[in-house]
Amino acid sequence: MSGLSLPSMALGEPTDTSREAINAALSAIRQHLGMPIAYVSEFVGDESVFRYVDAPGLEHLIKPGDSRDLSEVYCLHILEGRLPELIPDTAANPLAQAMPITRQIPIGAHMSIPIHLEDGTPFGMFCCLGPNANPSLNERDLETMRLFSNLAAQQIDKEYAHKRHLQEMRERIMDTLETNAFAIAYQPIVDLGQMHPSGYEALCRFSAEPYRTPDVWFDEAAKVGLSVELELASIRQAVEKIGEIAPDQYISVNVSPSTVISGQFAETFLKLPLDRIVLEITEHAVIEDYDRFTRVLRPLRHAGLRLAVDDAGAGHSSLRHIVQLNPDYVKVDMSLTRNVDQDLARRALIGALLFYTRETSAHIIAEGIETEAELNTLKLLGVRRGQGYLLGRPSQQIAHSLNEFSQAS
């Protein structure tokens, strides 16, 4: 084998747009040149893998996913200058004629343009070939093919850059998990009658640089298939301080529907003090199968786990979540709480949610309370639990999370 350095990382799953663009380029150049086979290959280790193929009726010879050892094909010889990019007649080229693949396919005419990534790394080949010699092929045809090859290279480079980006994300999340580069802050959920915490919401905070908000970290984890691991790791850390709160208080943790239906979820939660945990499902989360979701939670809820629908009122999914999941708590989104003392429509919507919870024995928790006017209005409406900066800011020390305002009240 040649000493040429080739990338070992295979191309990720292409987007529909890039796939269509590359396939269209192959079809156009194949028909323009009058050749039966056109393809884009990728160098993966010591193999040439055919990623895109346009060869109608010749699938028995070549199709996407097939591969050949690089020592068997023309690629390295073209990259290193031993074979030209344009071979109108392989019989007239001693090296091509000596290679077994020339007779096996057979290959009578061959045109191939190396594809390089933006950093100059050889990626693969953009190639057309036919069983018969074609002396009419010339440099103008090669230049036309080069134009289509450049179009394919642009799409591939975008996909490759995207894959590198995902790989960087994955490494970042894995490093965060391995080093526990996150901490839990606890924000009190206050009984508005006694002005005393009934529980604490656990909020994950990340210390890794550069700084990104928690939602970005969890979004990235989902994109690289590590959301379950990250969510469960944060939950396990959150409940470690459950011994620091009163026996009648709980810790509320956030989880996505995809994590709930994963095999690791029940295994993790069965080891936790379920009667002192509230599971929050955000309104923004999509639940594809409510039956499956509730089936997973049923034995855990029977064992004491409570369920909250978070961000109620922030979008169209909250009512469906509330009806389908029969939650123990409905957390009113801060978009309804904000300026509730000045807005009749907000008060009416919260009143409707209060009516529902009275009928179902659930409880309302108003989020984002920041002013005394908001707090007093919510109390008058009948809201019995609240959360927000007025009552207490998130703190890694549970004992310090309740504001002086709440303690004085």
Side-chain angles (χ1 to χ4, degrees), residues 27-235:
S27 178
I29 193 62
R30 183 187 63 78
Q31 294 181 59
H32 173 74
L33 297 175
M35 289 184 167
I37 296 174
Y39 64 81
V40 168
S41 66
E42 179 185 4
F43 302 137
V44 182
D46 292 334
E47 291 191 325
S48 177
V49 180
F50 304 112
R51 293 300 184 196
Y52 303 86
V53 177
D54 188 68
L58 297 175
E59 290 79 11
H60 61 289
L61 288 178
I62 182 172
K63 60 184 182 297
D66 288 350
S67 63
R68 288 246 184 194
D69 193 285
L70 279 168
S71 63
E72 300 176 0
V73 293
Y74 291 5
C75 302
L76 290 181
H77 296 298
I78 294 171
L79 281 169
E80 297 177 346
R82 291 186 293 273
L83 282 176
E85 294 177 348
L86 169 60
I87 310 176
D89 184 358
T90 57
N93 186 294
L95 178 54
Q97 189 60 25
M99 296 181 68
I101 195 171
T102 303
R103 296 181 296 278
Q104 291 169 2
I105 298 296
I107 304 173
H110 188 277
M111 293 179 66
S112 192
I113 307 291
I115 297 174
H116 290 83
L117 299 178
E118 191 174 13
D119 62 3
T121 305
F123 171 83
M125 306 294 283
F126 188 96
C127 183
C128 279
L129 58 89
N132 303 313
N134 185 352
S136 69
L137 294 174
N138 55 42
E139 289 297 324
R140 181 176 294 179
D141 294 319
L142 188 62
E143 285 304 312
T144 301
M145 185 163 170
R146 202 180 304 279
L147 290 174
F148 284 98
S149 173
N150 288 339
L151 180 117
Q154 290 173 10
Q155 297 298 323
I156 288 168
D157 216 37
K158 289 179 183 178
E159 295 297 327
Y160 218 78
H162 179 62
K163 183 179 181 183
R164 285 197 299 268
H165 180 58
L166 290 178
Q167 184 64 28
E168 290 169 0
M169 277 189 197
R170 184 174 182 84
E171 290 172 358
R172 190 158 54 236
I173 299 299
M174 289 295 294
D175 183 64
T176 297
L177 286 167
E178 290 169 4
T179 60
N180 287 321
F182 58 87
I184 305 299
Y186 300 85
Q187 185 173 30
I189 300 169
V190 177
D191 181 318
L192 300 183
Q194 301 179 6
M195 295 304 290
H196 183 75
S198 57
Y200 296 84
E201 181 178 1
L203 304 166
C204 198
R205 298 291 183 260
F206 294 85
S207 57
E209 296 293 338
Y211 173 77
R212 288 182 300 280
T213 56
D215 61 309
V216 174
W217 279 98
F218 284 105
D219 285 346
E220 286 189 353
K223 289 176 182 176
V224 297
L226 291 173
S227 59
V228 172
E229 288 79 2
L230 186 59
E231 287 184 23
L232 292 181
S234 66
I235 288 170

